[in-house]
Amino acid sequence: MTSTSSVRVRFAPSPTGYFHLGGARTALYNYLFARHEGGKFILRVEDTDRTRYHPEAIPDLLSSLRWLGIWWDEGPEIGGSYGPYYQSDRLALYQEYAQQLIDKGLAYRCYCSAARLASLREGQRGQGGAAGYDRHCRHLTAGQIADYEAQGIRPVVRLAVPLEGETSFDDLLRGRITVQNEQLDDLVLLKSDGFPTYHLAVVVDDHSMAITHVIRGDEWLSSTPKHVLMYDAFGWEMPVHAHLPVILDPSGKGKLSKRKKKTADGQELLTYIHEFRDEGYLPEALFNFLALVGWSYDAEREFFGRDELIRLFDLSRVSKSPGAFSYDKLEYMNGSYIRSLGQNDLAGRLLPLLKADGIDADFDSVLAFVPHIQERLKVLTDAAEWIDFAYVEEIDYDPQELLQKKLTPAHASTLLAACAAALAVLAPFGEGEIEAALRGLAETSGLKAREFFGAVRVAVTGKRVAPPLFGALAILGQQRSVARLREAVRRLEALL
Ligand code: GLU
């Protein structure tokens, strides 16, 4: 590890939709590799396909990466000396390089109409033979070209792929990959509107941004031989390539979808990073968990802090086979991260989510609840269910809920009235004092303590499951606790 390393990697998403788990894993591995090597992590937005452009994708990408703590050294909103970092701002560069290949005789303008290409495909389908462009325009005469130009036809630019031989490269994870050139099409580099295709833009940018390692998803593996030919055509050295295995869904049978999917019991699986944030996952838990989807340090260890991951991450430990994404394991890991947070930290993280849930909570009371609920949270959003009773004017419950087992309405009414009376004069209204008072009443109630406290719990929280009772009452405060007990007595009248 050296700070003078010239390792430069990039994450190069296309803004076609919300930022999802697969993209985040690729970004994370690039980030960890760059940090481990003391190199640079570049963010580049590949936005040349205007038909698939999604306006919310970029803000969603940037905020999600920041939330996860995958910070880029060069890219949008930061800049850098290899910019611009949006491909749509680099069109002139791609046009220039396409022309360079034409001048070298390694690319050519193609004037074939969409109709001709369609009928070509149709014919090929019928014959079941080789598919692809028939290279009709590869050897046009100057006269033919002038003719097409005079007709005002705007050409595309295609790569003149060698007709024979083979193309190989060494993938860092997959080993040597070889394809026969005759299987490769004369791919389009520049479209007729002057926009580059992905292939041209990615090669030009990886070269001109001095990228040393291309770490990306497996779905790009079949494109790489084309890129090898382009690097050759330009006379450029090719970066090292590593294609990461896909992520499988929890069943391990299919690919994890970028879109919404449902489990067998109809639950929606989260896929977008902003959903994990909104559902109360901690960024450090997702960061840790994602690192393990396709990488492992050893057979046992699962919990790694950011700095440890940076120190230990190594592409040689990336798995060659796909791994399944286990939501259960992520939830378990998240719960564990929540339990390890300091109380102030946890309260600070809960507050905005509670507010987003429509709960008008304040920091101090949430902080007071934290010791009572921290152990119980798997995700931060679980907290609302536990403590919302403290932030409403009135709680809503069925008075039958007050009647546990043998308890009659009349008996319950007497007991809750006694509680109200005892708590009303308690000073100070602290957890210890409340416990002493209520335990005293429980003993003389003729009920089991659990039954007695169960009725009090429903009276003050409206729920059978709530944070530990004495603490909850203390936080709720004397006035409201007493008022709720009296209200329970009033509700019981209907059952007498
Ligand atoms: N723009 C491509 C994508 O959206 C990037 C592929 C690559 O990393 O080369 O995934």
Side-chain angles (χ1 to χ4, degrees):
M1 211 196 306
T2 130
S3 58
T4 55
S5 155
S6 57
V7 161
R8 291 176 56 83
V9 294
R10 86 307 191 269
F11 175 55
S14 299
T16 55
Y18 294 118
F19 187 47
H20 56 84
L21 286 171
R25 202 267 310 248
T26 301
L28 178 60
Y29 282 16
N30 274 283
Y31 170 86
L32 291 174
F33 180 70
R35 290 287 172 274
H36 179 85
E37 296 291 333
K40 295 273 187 266
F41 171 62
I42 289 105
L43 178 61
R44 179 175 76 222
V45 178
E46 303 209 323
D47 59 348
T48 58
D49 186 349
R50 305 314 283 179
T51 56
R52 294 176 62 220
Y53 185 79
H54 186 307
E56 286 168 44
I58 293 171
D60 182 65
L61 166 77
L62 302 184
S63 63
S64 300
L65 282 173
R66 286 196 171 111
W67 177 73
L68 269 173
I70 302 179
W71 297 291
W72 55 103
D73 301 304
E74 294 172 27
E77 294 181 354
I78 289 183
S81 36
Y82 293 81
Y85 294 92
Y86 286 90
Q87 288 188 329
S88 57
D89 292 334
R90 302 167 65 83
L91 298 183
L93 192 69
Y94 310 126
Q95 289 160 6
E96 204 178 291
Y97 279 116
Q99 185 61 46
Q100 211 181 83
L101 291 189
I102 295 173
D103 294 344
K104 285 186 177 181
L106 297 173
Y108 60 93
R109 293 201 168 82
C110 165
Y111 297 87
C112 289
S113 65
R116 178 174 187 278
L117 296 176
S119 80
L120 182 67
R121 267 197 302 274
E122 196 53 39
Q124 286 167 340
R125 203 171 298 142
Q127 288 165 15
Y133 179 57
D134 62 357
R135 304 188 161 110
H136 175 268
C137 293
R138 185 152 163 171
H139 299 290
L140 295 179
T141 62
Q144 286 171 308
I145 292 177
D147 212 31
Y148 283 127
E149 293 284 339
Q151 289 174 48
I153 300 175
R154 292 169 66 188
V156 302
V157 175
R158 288 183 185 272
L159 184 71
V161 170
L163 303 176
E164 289 166 359
E166 56 184 36
T167 297
S168 299
F169 71 98
D170 291 308
D171 185 277
L172 208 58
L173 298 172
R174 301 296 216 85
R176 192 155 187 82
I177 309 272
T178 302
V179 295
Q180 301 303 312
N181 289 339
E182 63 186 14
Q183 282 169 3
L184 299 174
D185 214 3
D186 279 4
L187 57 132
V188 174
L189 302 178
L190 206 61
K191 295 180 261 186
S192 56
D193 59 3
F195 273 72
T197 57
Y198 156 69
H199 301 296
L200 177 63
V202 82
V203 168
V204 165
D205 285 349
D206 285 343
H207 173 73
S208 56
M209 294 182 176
I211 298 302
T212 57
H213 295 72
V214 169
I215 304 166
R216 63 185 171 196
D218 239 359
E219 68 270 33
W220 303 101
L221 189 66
S222 63
S223 296
T224 311
K226 300 172 193 168
H227 302 170
V228 175
L229 289 173
M230 292 163 65
Y231 280 101
D232 283 352
F234 283 118
W236 294 338
E237 197 187 326
M238 180 157 149
V240 173
H241 278 61
H243 289 89
L244 305 172
V246 296
I247 306 179
L248 299 178
D249 69 16
S251 75
K253 289 187 192 130
K255 219 182 128 188
L256 191 75
S257 172
K258 285 185 199 172
R259 291 173 233 301
K260 294 267 130 268
K261 248 204 177 153
K262 293 207 165 138
T263 57
D265 58 2
Q267 265 200 324
E268 271 201 349
L269 294 180
L270 307 183
T271 49
Y272 303 128
I273 300 307
H274 68 242
E275 294 176 316
F276 287 91
R277 183 191 59 210
D278 297 346
E279 290 295 320
Y281 285 87
L282 302 188
E284 51 270 62
L286 192 55
F287 189 99
N288 183 161
F289 185 74
L290 268 178
L292 299 177
V293 185
W295 175 87
S296 56
Y297 181 62
D298 59 25
E300 277 112 58
R301 226 174 125 194
E302 295 191 317
F303 285 86
F304 298 91
R306 162 187 304 272
D307 292 344
E308 277 177 304
L309 282 170
I310 290 172
R311 188 159 49 79
L312 300 174
F313 186 81
D314 181 354
L315 284 174
S316 68
R317 288 208 172 88
V318 171
S319 155
K320 290 171 183 47
S321 49
F325 190 93
S326 164
Y327 287 85
D328 292 343
K329 199 158 157 193
L330 170 61
E331 198 178 74
Y332 153 78
M333 190 172 258
N334 200 59
S336 172
Y337 268 89
I338 289 178
R339 289 194 290 283
S340 72
L341 292 179
Q343 296 188 356
N344 275 292
D345 187 359
L346 177 53
R349 297 192 200 215
L350 289 173
L351 196 59
L353 286 170
L354 290 166
K355 292 207 185 272
D357 236 343
I359 297 172
D360 188 19
D362 59 285
F363 181 82
D364 289 344
S365 66
V366 174
L367 182 61
F369 272 122
V370 159
H372 304 296
I373 61 172
Q374 184 159 14
E375 290 288 316
R376 298 170 159 80
L377 305 179
K378 288 199 189 113
V379 288
L380 298 175
T381 44
D382 287 346
E385 194 48 39
W386 286 101
I387 67 174
D388 58 355
F389 71 89
Y391 302 99
V392 284
E393 275 304 309
E394 227 177 77
I395 47 175
D396 191 27
Y397 59 93
D398 178 350
Q400 290 287 353
E401 293 286 311
L402 294 163
L403 306 176
Q404 325 250 336
K405 291 213 174 134
K406 287 177 284 181
L407 199 54
T408 62
H411 193 186
S413 176
T414 318
L415 293 176
L416 294 174
C419 285
L423 295 186
V425 295
L426 213 56
F429 196 71
E431 201 176 319
E433 289 79 6
I434 296 169
E435 175 166 4
L438 292 188
R439 284 206 187 278
L441 286 171
E443 268 162 36
T444 57
S445 68
L447 296 175
K448 290 197 177 114
R450 193 162 38 80
E451 290 165 357
F452 175 79
F453 292 134
V456 178
R457 179 175 298 113
V458 171
V460 293
T461 68
K463 300 171 203 251
R464 284 185 179 235
V465 181
L469 184 60
F470 313 123
L473 283 162
I475 298 169
L476 195 60
Q478 189 161 28
Q479 221 187 345
R480 288 200 298 162
S481 298
V482 171
R484 284 184 185 187
L485 287 162
R486 290 189 179 136
E487 170 61 17
V489 172
R490 202 190 59 73
R491 289 189 191 199
L492 281 168
E493 277 169 19
L495 306 178
L496 289 174

